[in-house]
Amino acid sequence: MKLLVGLVILVANARAIQDLSGKMFTFPQQTKTDHVRLTPSHTNLGVATVCHRSFTDLKRDHTLFSKSLPSSANEFLVFYDFKNKEVEVHGRNGKAEYGGLDYKPNTWHSLCTTWDAGSGMVQLWFNGQPLVRKFVSQSNKTGVPIIILGQEQDSHGGGFDINQSFLGMMTDVHMWDYALSPCEIQKYVSELSFTPGNVLNWAALDFQIYGRVLIENKQMYCQ
Ligand SMILES: *[C@@H]1O[C@H](CO)[C@@H](O)[C@H](O)[C@H]1NC(C)=O
Ligand SMILES: [Ca+2]
């Protein structure tokens, strides 16, 4: 009996490396627990770009991408501030705010963010449009990161807040250990052929689902 229970838990929470091309994660309910944990292929990045597409109708704050280090809960965070209608990019102790965006509900949005931990500079590309380069924070912190979709970490791997959880769909999450060129970002946004992430690769994603997060076929527009 014990073995059986163990197996069930193992199946529910199996860590897998899977090609998610053509798929999306659906976060169908508001909880302070359900999330997906991503394991990067390497850590201690000096420079990073992360891209993802998301679709939501939330009328409150929500997380889009949360990476923490043991010493830094908001080491790299992309977050939507509903009240101020801004996408925030947090890098360690600082944040940059990007307002004036057409962040329409029930629409796919592609966000790409670069962060250079050495210079402390970030830049957000919203649906392929480059926004202002801003300083957030320099960081030389190392350690094993925890990367989470669906919940925002206030501590390393935890400290979730139901009112900052993500509800909706998310797809095409990639992370690189360099700053993508404008051309590469355009290719990503247009879903043309691009160099997949060498830190997180949606086509070979190392992930673990906790709670009710579904893998479904990606719904884009009929063309
Ligand atoms: C979440 O937001 C709701 C509505 O504003 C509020 O009533 C509730 O206390 C909040 N919960 C937490 C844990 O902050
Ligand atoms: Ca929080």
Side-chain angles (χ1 to χ4, degrees):
M1 195 59 202
K2 231 176 188 164
L3 179 67
L4 189 65
V5 170
L7 277 176
V8 169
I9 288 166
L10 194 67
V11 168
N13 269 342
R15 182 172 154 196
I17 299 183
Q18 217 174 304
D19 179 357
L20 294 180
S21 303
K23 305 280 183 188
M24 63 186 183
F25 287 135
T26 301
F27 299 85
Q29 62 184 8
Q30 173 166 291
T31 72
K32 64 166 186 183
T33 50
D34 299 358
H35 65 279
V36 182
R37 191 154 155 171
L38 309 180
T39 302
S41 62
H42 53 282
T43 60
N44 301 335
L45 310 177
V47 179
T49 304
V50 63
C51 291
H52 40 83
R53 273 186 261 283
S54 56
F55 187 111
T56 186
D57 65 352
L58 283 170
K59 294 185 193 64
R60 56 161 174 75
D61 293 354
H62 53 271
T63 178
L64 294 167
F65 182 89
S66 170
K67 172 185 167 181
S68 74
L69 288 180
S71 57
S72 172
N74 292 341
E75 181 67 12
F76 191 10
L77 167 66
V78 183
F79 189 82
Y80 190 70
D81 174 346
F82 184 78
K83 184 164 148 268
N84 295 310
K85 303 280 181 286
E86 288 169 343
V87 173
E88 296 176 354
V89 177
H90 295 245
R92 195 155 181 78
N93 300 318
K95 71 172 170 184
E97 291 155 339
Y98 290 100
L101 307 175
D102 191 13
Y103 189 71
K104 278 196 294 257
N106 297 311
T107 304
W108 284 104
H109 295 291
S110 301
L111 278 75
C112 291
T113 311
T114 60
W115 181 35
D116 182 327
S119 68
M121 297 294 292
V122 297
Q123 185 169 25
L124 176 66
W125 299 66
F126 184 75
N127 293 328
Q129 180 194 348
L131 306 178
V132 174
R133 294 176 57 73
K134 299 186 180 185
F135 176 81
V136 288
S137 184
Q138 288 163 297
S139 176
N140 56 7
K141 289 289 182 218
T142 56
V144 177
I146 294 179
I147 298 177
I148 284 180
L149 304 177
Q151 298 288 342
E152 200 274 306
Q153 305 175 71
D154 278 349
S155 63
H156 193 48
F160 303 151
D161 177 348
I162 192 167
N163 288 332
Q164 297 181 339
S165 65
F166 179 80
L167 215 107
M169 293 94 85
M170 188 165 285
T171 188
D172 298 332
V173 182
H174 287 269
M175 191 171 194
W176 298 260
D177 62 0
Y178 53 90
L180 283 197
S181 72
C183 278
E184 283 289 328
I185 290 177
Q186 283 309 332
K187 287 188 211 163
Y188 171 85
V189 170
S190 309
E191 300 201 53
L192 303 172
S193 165
F194 62 90
T195 309
N198 62 349
V199 181
L200 297 172
N201 177 359
W202 190 252
L205 198 69
D206 187 342
F207 69 97
Q208 191 164 3
I209 287 176
Y210 295 85
R212 182 167 287 118
V213 181
L214 310 178
I215 299 172
E216 299 190 299
N217 289 327
K218 186 161 115 181
Q219 301 174 313
M220 302 303 281
Y221 305 105
C222 178
Q223 293 179 350

